[in-house]
């Protein structure tokens, strides 16, 4: 990263369930299940495996206690995406005190991108947000994200509330990099 590299952050909002344009697909043995018991190691694994590809920021130096607190927050839900029982992605949503559902993280392991599963996973996260009582759904993304991420968000009904430029997140290597090729 050089000193002049910038990222654009997009602050997205869906103010009404009527704005939601779901895109669910039929894919053999694809399931999305809620982790009914918080498992911080699952959140950590997915964050490491997916987030390092897109320079997700803010959690790289978290220790076990921070992951435990995050996964066990009162209104936090973690959902895993699976094909034939194997985890391939996830999302985290949290209902805030003002009934806003925040999608913290959402993503797929790289080899499962390009099959329509991202639109399905996002549609599930939005649908679940409305089911838990949200009055609006928000998420932030940035120019480090997958090239189709922003268009997927907009196509599902989000609008850009605000955008800003700031220094780019540093590239980081996953602690799972032993398995990356």
């Amino acid at each position: 990263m050089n000193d002049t590299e910038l990222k654009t952050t997009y602050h997205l909002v869906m103010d009404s369930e009527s704005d939601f344009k779901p895109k669910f697909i039929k894919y053999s043995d694809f399931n999305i299940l809620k982790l009914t018991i918080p498992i911080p190691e699952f959140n950590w694994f997915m964050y490491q495996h997916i987030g390092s590809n897109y320079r997700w920021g803010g959690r790289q130096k978290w220790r076990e206690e921070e992951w435990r607190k995050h996964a066990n927050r009162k209104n936090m839900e973690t959902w895993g995406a699976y094909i034939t029982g194997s985890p391939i992605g996830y999302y985290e949503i949290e209902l805030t005190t003002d009934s806003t559902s925040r999608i913290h993280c959402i993503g797929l392991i790289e080899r499962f991108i390009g099959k329509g599963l991202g639109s399905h996973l996002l549609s599930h996260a939005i649908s679940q947000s409305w089911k838990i009582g949200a009055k609006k759904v928000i998420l932030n993304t940035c120019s480090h994200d997958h090239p189709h991420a922003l268009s997927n968000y907009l196509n599902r009904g989000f609008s850009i509330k605000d955008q800003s430029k700031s220094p780019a997140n540093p590239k980081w290597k996953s602690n799972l990099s032993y398995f990356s090729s």
Side-chain angles (χ1 to χ4, degrees):
M1 180 178 99
N2 62 47
D3 291 334
T4 60
E5 188 180 8
L6 295 175
K7 71 174 179 186
T8 302
T9 300
Y10 302 93
H11 307 278
L12 307 177
V13 64
M14 188 179 297
D15 288 312
S16 169
E17 189 171 1
S18 64
D19 295 333
F20 180 31
K21 300 175 215 152
K23 185 176 180 185
F24 293 106
I25 63 162
K26 291 183 187 213
Y27 193 93
S28 180
D29 296 318
F30 178 62
N31 295 297
I32 302 171
L33 302 170
K34 181 180 176 183
L35 277 67
T36 56
I37 300 169
I39 302 174
E41 297 86 350
F42 180 84
N43 298 66
W44 174 84
F45 172 83
M46 287 296 178
Y47 187 90
Q48 287 289 318
H49 201 31
I50 298 167
S52 62
N53 292 326
Y54 304 107
R55 300 192 208 183
W56 287 358
R59 299 187 196 175
Q60 298 90 323
K61 295 181 181 178
W62 279 14
R63 296 286 191 213
E64 181 181 353
E65 183 60 26
E66 289 147 320
W67 283 105
R68 189 174 318 292
K69 284 179 183 176
H70 176 74
N72 282 286
R73 291 199 328 224
K74 181 181 177 190
N75 294 316
M76 176 68 69
E77 293 185 4
T78 300
W79 291 74
Y82 305 87
I83 293 180
T84 61
S86 297
I88 63 146
Y90 87 127
Y91 68 83
E92 300 172 349
I93 58 173
E94 182 175 26
L95 189 63
T96 65
T97 55
D98 69 349
S99 296
T100 297
S101 178
R102 175 182 298 276
I103 301 174
H104 285 281
C105 295
I106 186 167
L108 295 167
I109 292 173
E110 193 168 15
R111 68 177 166 236
F112 298 98
I113 293 173
K115 303 174 187 316
L117 301 172
S119 294
H120 187 107
L121 185 64
L122 177 60
S123 294
H124 191 279
I126 296 166
S127 178
Q128 187 58 33
S129 292
W130 295 119
K131 286 179 185 174
I132 62 174
K135 292 183 180 165
K136 69 178 175 180
V137 183
I138 62 172
L139 68 82
N140 293 329
T141 189
C142 74
S143 52
H144 297 317
D145 208 343
H146 187 276
H148 298 138
L150 182 58
S151 63
N152 187 20
Y153 299 141
L154 297 175
N155 288 334
R156 300 293 71 76
F158 281 100
S159 60
I160 299 173
K161 181 178 180 181
D162 192 23
Q163 67 184 59
S164 58
K165 298 243 184 224
S166 60
N169 294 349
K171 292 180 181 179
W172 56 279
K173 193 171 186 177
S174 167
N175 288 322
L176 305 170
S177 60
Y178 175 80
F179 296 100
S180 299
S181 53

